[in-house]
Amino acid sequence: MNAETDPSEIIQNERYQAKRNWTIADSSMLYGLDKWGEHYFAINQKGNINIQPTGSKGQSLDLVDLVKELKSRNLQLPLLIRFDDILEDRIKQLHLAFAKAISTYKYEGHYQGVFPVKCNQQRHVVEEIINCGKPWKFGLEAGSKTELLIALALIESPKALLICNGYKDKCYIETAILSRQLGRQAILVIEQVDEIERIILASKELGAAPLIGIRAKLSTRSSGRWANSIGDNAKFGLCVPDILKAVEKLNDANLLTDLRLLHFHVGSQINDIAILKDALQEAGQIYVELKKAGAPMGYLDVGGGLGVDYDGSKTATQASTNYSLQNYANDVVATVKDCCQSNNIKMPILISESGRAIASHFSVLIFDILGTSSVPSYVPKIQDHESLIIRNLREALSFINQVAKDKNPDHSILQEAWNDAIKFKDDALNAFRLGYISLHERAMAEQITWACAKALTDMLPYKNSLTEELTNLKSALSVTYYANLSVFRSAPDTWAIEQLFPIMPIHRLNEKPDQLGHFADLTCDSDGKLAKFIGNSQVKSLLELHQLKPNENYLIGMFLAGAYQEVMGNLHNLFGSTNAVHVRLANNGGYKLNHVVRGNTKSDVLEAMEHDPEQLLERLRINSEVAIQRGSLKIKDAQRLMDHLETTLRQSTYLQEEKGL
Ligand SMILES: *Cc1c(COP(=O)(O)O)cnc(C)c1O
């Protein structure tokens, strides 16, 4: 819906829709599923959400059936369901988009992405990504020592890149150098000036050099939420004079031949593609200069930031993006090509560190509703000898009901009727105070007033141009749905509210949702609320929901929730005892549960992410043996590597400690 749409036309449409039978197409439109769901989610004829990882022509799975069966396996709600097929498809789509752009623009180079581990550190998730990404030699990006350890242990393909970002102490640097000897494509990205000396020292000490990258601090500004992480005040990256100094120092230390990569990161969830273009042009020029200064180069890493359209609006707003995946790939490819061509320079291998765009869609959080509360709005039966006040109120109500039949009711008449109702209710209160009416009658007066309000708001379309008071009436009458979700109780200032995720019922989508509500957890404090929902053009404070049915669970899904949920207060804090399952669709229309991760609280972070430290070390030990046999790693150095890894394991604190997210 755009701003030019005539409101009365919308009213007409919506009244029309209310009259005819509600269809699943109406639900799809109302919740925006057809816009944010990509091809992964649809509504089936039963009115349930269908999961269809490869689109409507591929296999599909009824989400409600799945939840029921999981529950019968004693996997209680709330439940985090990860659809690994969707994760696989995301990786595929990303590569297809770049492949298409590369062929369209006849780019002379290829794309080779990495997944930033901080985006979802769960072992099963990272393993799945490595597995699905094999055909493209998809690699990993590490932002801290612990992430480097995870990445080193999990990467299998010797061609896959391992981008080493974040704060680097001696141990981190040595680990990266030794990983190269281990046969990994580890590229150490210089983010701070003082790292250069440490890299030079470590290289001398080990008699081996790392592959080196430089992170540029661009002057382009981001409009995204992490806008402060770039620009002149950014915490990471070298400004142009520092880059030149770095080249000089590397040259003096005979390390310039190992300078292979230029990296930049404009921030997460880039909303506006224009920002990316500016950054690409600036970085492209710096790349050219580095090449001219004698560095072999070869890689341009455009960082993360590829956005997700959470509200499906395709706009440059916080919960959306004004570009598609293909637009993104096209811009990266075309801009870099232009820059290289006009400077007569070989086009680099393109890297992106897209986290959110890969890991958002595959995970769905399902919770149920324990109960609702709302103001009573049913009309009490007519009794003998009702007082004048009650009769007045009844008259106001029947007047409103009369107007409601009108095709195009006059708003000022409605407002007047409401004013009358409010006045009569105040009269009732006064009369009660003075002893003229009974408590019973006062209760009736309140009920009829709410009934008036209900009759009025029922007439209101979802979007309307009514007076503020009538609009506020809607929220006064809204229903609180008590969600069976500990997230709001345990998250100190509820990150989940900051980030807008599409939220909608996963069944009954062939019934018209006739309530407006928001979610609260059982503590009922102000932080325990979920009252921001994606709307057609703006954030809504109330969501259209169904009335609860006796003896039937009402199931709600929070979608696109797979990226950064750990960051939002750490998975084990945030979701307390949430169970997580990994599901793969099977050929026969069934499915396979690949992993069941029982929710429980663990103190150790690595273990909380399901990584087994012993297993990580064991894998690396085996890898070291292979490298020693091959002659690329000395036994002494292998020992040193294992020492570093063990130290890192012992020290490991929060995985994302060094990321200023
Ligand atoms: C967070 C981060 C990313 C991932 O960003 P997305 O927006 O999730 O793609 C990539 N690179 C760096 C350096 C980061 O800090």
Side-chain angles (χ1 to χ4, degrees):
M1 249 176 247
N2 58 40
E4 286 111 81
T5 317
D6 175 6
S8 66
E9 197 178 289
I10 298 169
I11 294 169
Q12 287 304 324
N13 280 344
E14 300 205 9
R15 303 191 102 213
Y16 169 71
Q17 272 179 18
K19 275 197 199 123
R20 72 186 167 86
N21 283 340
W22 186 262
T23 66
I24 55 175
D26 296 325
S27 283
S28 183
M29 207 159 80
L30 172 65
Y31 297 111
L33 182 75
D34 48 351
K35 300 205 196 94
W36 54 257
E38 302 276 341
H39 62 246
Y40 304 118
F41 311 103
I43 305 174
N44 63 25
Q45 288 310 317
K46 282 196 265 178
N48 298 342
I49 296 268
N50 247 4
I51 305 292
Q52 38 181 61
T54 52
S56 55
K57 296 209 178 70
Q59 293 153 17
S60 71
L61 186 63
D62 185 314
L63 184 55
V64 179
D65 288 349
L66 175 67
V67 170
K68 280 186 189 147
E69 291 183 25
L70 292 174
K71 278 183 77 180
S72 69
R73 288 182 166 98
N74 208 19
L75 283 160
Q76 299 303 326
L77 300 174
L79 194 56
L80 192 67
I81 310 181
R82 300 201 177 105
F83 294 99
D84 291 341
D85 300 280
I86 296 183
L87 187 63
E88 181 172 3
D89 191 72
R90 291 308 294 168
I91 295 173
K92 192 171 152 196
Q93 296 303 330
L94 177 70
H95 287 89
L96 288 181
F98 270 99
K100 192 168 170 203
I102 282 168
S103 115
T104 307
Y105 294 97
K106 300 195 172 57
Y107 187 85
E108 290 153 13
H110 63 272
Y111 167 79
Q112 199 185 344
V114 292
F115 177 75
V117 172
K118 75 145 189 266
C119 183
N120 194 325
Q121 299 148 337
Q122 287 285 323
R123 172 167 69 92
H124 299 305
V125 175
V126 183
E127 279 180 351
E128 198 63 44
I129 289 172
I130 290 289
N131 227 349
C132 300
K134 260 185 201 150
W136 298 280
K137 306 182 192 74
F138 199 56
L140 294 173
E141 182 260 1
S144 68
K145 257 191 288 183
T146 320
E147 289 180 7
L148 176 58
L149 172 63
I150 294 175
L152 255 184
L154 298 188
I155 278 191
E156 286 170 8
S157 165
K159 293 266 173 62
L161 295 170
L162 204 176
I163 306 290
C164 306
N165 289 330
Y167 177 78
K168 292 163 211 77
D169 60 9
K170 184 171 181 243
C171 171
Y172 187 127
I173 293 169
E174 290 192 357
T175 305
I177 296 176
L178 294 169
S179 335
R180 188 178 176 188
Q181 284 167 296
L182 194 68
R184 296 286 171 267
Q185 300 294 319
I187 305 184
L188 203 50
V189 180
I190 301 170
E191 302 199 5
Q192 322 237 0
V193 178
D194 63 352
E195 288 170 4
I196 304 170
E197 287 306 328
R198 284 203 291 275
I199 291 175
I200 293 173
L201 260 176
S203 303
K204 274 197 190 127
E205 218 177 296
L206 290 177
L211 293 173
I212 301 172
I214 289 182
R215 176 164 178 173
K217 194 190 281 188
L218 302 180
S219 55
T220 321
R221 281 196 180 269
S222 168
S223 66
R225 190 179 305 158
W226 290 279
N228 291 336
S229 69
I230 60 137
D232 294 335
N233 298 321
K235 202 164 134 195
F236 303 110
L238 306 190
C239 56
V240 171
D242 283 342
I243 291 178
L244 297 178
K245 232 179 281 164
V247 168
E248 232 169 82
K249 281 187 185 164
L250 291 175
N251 196 23
D252 291 347
N254 272 333
L255 287 175
L256 196 59
T257 48
D258 295 297
L259 180 55
R260 302 291 170 85
L261 172 144
L262 180 68
H263 171 262
F264 71 88
H265 174 65
V266 216
S268 203
Q269 182 72 4
I270 299 173
N271 312 114
D272 187 352
I273 190 116
I275 286 162
L276 177 75
K277 272 191 216 172
D278 286 352
L280 279 166
Q281 274 167 351
E282 192 180 344
Q285 290 308 325
I286 298 175
Y287 182 90
V288 167
E289 291 304 322
L290 285 172
K291 189 99 190 168
K292 285 181 179 165
M297 300 308 285
Y299 296 101
L300 180 62
D301 177 353
V302 302
L306 175 50
V308 166
D309 195 356
Y310 291 98
D311 67 8
S313 68
K314 296 190 168 61
T315 54
T317 51
Q318 207 176 70
S320 186
T321 60
N322 66 356
Y323 58 90
S324 67
L325 176 56
Q326 191 62 57
N327 297 148
Y328 177 89
N330 287 354
D331 273 4
V332 171
V333 168
T335 315
V336 177
K337 181 187 172 180
D338 279 354
C339 191
C340 290
Q341 244 179 357
S342 52
N343 287 283
N344 221 353
I345 271 180
K346 187 170 184 295
M347 296 174 207
I349 294 170
L350 297 168
I351 302 171
S352 81
E353 303 172 345
S354 310
R356 182 186 302 274
I358 282 181
S360 290
H361 298 77
F362 84 119
S363 143
V364 183
L365 179 71
I366 308 285
F367 58 94
D368 53 342
I369 299 300
L370 301 168
T372 59
S373 74
S374 60
V375 293
S377 60
Y378 57 91
V379 187
K381 267 212 210 102
I382 297 189
Q383 311 207 334
D384 297 339
H385 313 297
E386 285 186 336
S387 64
L388 180 65
I389 293 171
I390 302 293
R391 279 180 279 142
N392 281 342
L393 271 168
R394 287 201 191 276
E395 229 166 83
L397 178 60
S398 67
F399 177 73
I400 292 170
N401 282 332
Q402 196 59 40
V403 178
K405 292 193 187 121
D406 213 350
K407 231 178 146 197
N408 211 350
D410 184 339
H411 292 172
S412 62
I413 291 183
L414 288 176
Q415 181 71 52
E416 235 168 77
W418 175 241
N419 292 347
D420 285 349
I422 291 288
K423 184 185 167 292
F424 296 142
K425 185 178 142 252
D426 288 346
D427 287 351
L429 201 60
N430 285 331
F432 173 71
R433 272 200 211 109
L434 297 172
Y436 293 132
I437 64 169
S438 66
L439 183 65
H440 178 68
E441 281 177 303
R442 183 194 148 174
M444 279 174 67
E446 283 189 20
Q447 281 167 355
I448 301 172
T449 313
W450 285 122
C452 290
K454 182 87 176 28
L456 277 169
T457 55
D458 281 351
M459 258 185 275
L460 306 185
Y462 293 125
K463 277 263 179 64
N464 57 68
S465 57
L466 293 175
T467 58
E468 197 176 332
E469 193 172 355
L470 284 181
T471 312
N472 287 342
L473 203 55
K474 254 180 151 174
S475 35
L477 277 174
S478 73
V479 185
T480 302
Y481 283 71
Y482 294 103
N484 177 18
L485 196 59
S486 59
V487 44
F488 311 120
R489 196 167 18 202
S490 50
D493 49 40
T494 326
W495 272 81
I497 296 178
E498 281 288 313
Q499 171 74 58
L500 274 187
F501 295 108
I503 297 176
M504 65 179 285
I506 62 165
H507 58 152
R508 299 177 62 184
L509 296 166
N510 44 14
E511 288 171 43
K512 183 177 186 321
D514 53 5
Q515 312 246 43
L516 284 173
H518 62 260
F519 301 102
D521 78 352
L522 294 172
T523 62
C524 250
D525 65 25
S526 56
D527 286 338
K529 243 187 186 175
L530 191 59
K532 275 188 180 176
F533 307 100
I534 59 161
N536 271 326
S537 53
Q538 69 208 75
V539 177
K540 303 195 285 197
S541 58
L542 294 170
L543 187 65
E544 293 80 358
L545 293 164
H546 301 86
Q547 254 174 58
L548 298 193
K549 284 185 184 163
N551 304 322
E552 190 186 295
N553 252 336
Y554 190 43
L555 301 172
I556 309 292
M558 186 192 269
F559 292 84
L560 310 188
Y564 297 113
Q565 57 200 1
E566 286 90 333
V567 176
M568 297 190 315
N570 283 310
L571 187 71
H572 61 296
N573 286 337
L574 187 62
F575 292 120
S577 57
T578 309
N579 293 310
V581 295
H582 286 246
V583 176
R584 274 277 187 184
L585 273 62
N587 284 329
N588 54 8
Y591 60 90
K592 200 171 136 229
L593 289 192
N594 277 344
H595 314 285
V596 174
V597 186
R598 296 267 174 191
N600 52 4
T601 322
K602 290 175 190 160
S603 56
D604 185 83
V605 179
L606 262 182
E607 282 183 16
M609 299 296 162
E610 304 301 326
H611 294 283
D612 174 354
E614 283 309 314
Q615 201 187 340
L616 287 182
L617 282 179
E618 188 50 31
R619 283 198 200 195
L620 288 164
R621 212 169 273 131
I622 294 169
N623 284 337
S624 304
E625 281 308 318
V626 175
I628 291 170
Q629 298 293 323
R630 205 173 46 220
S632 64
L633 188 66
K634 293 192 213 92
I635 294 180
K636 170 171 77 65
D637 288 336
Q639 194 49 49
R640 190 177 193 128
L641 180 60
M642 294 314 289
D643 284 350
H644 284 335
L645 298 174
E646 271 171 42
T647 314
T648 303
L649 271 178
R650 262 202 313 279
Q651 294 169 340
S652 85
T653 52
Y654 283 131
L655 289 178
Q656 65 276 14
E657 65 194 332
E658 286 139 12
K659 286 290 175 176
L661 243 178

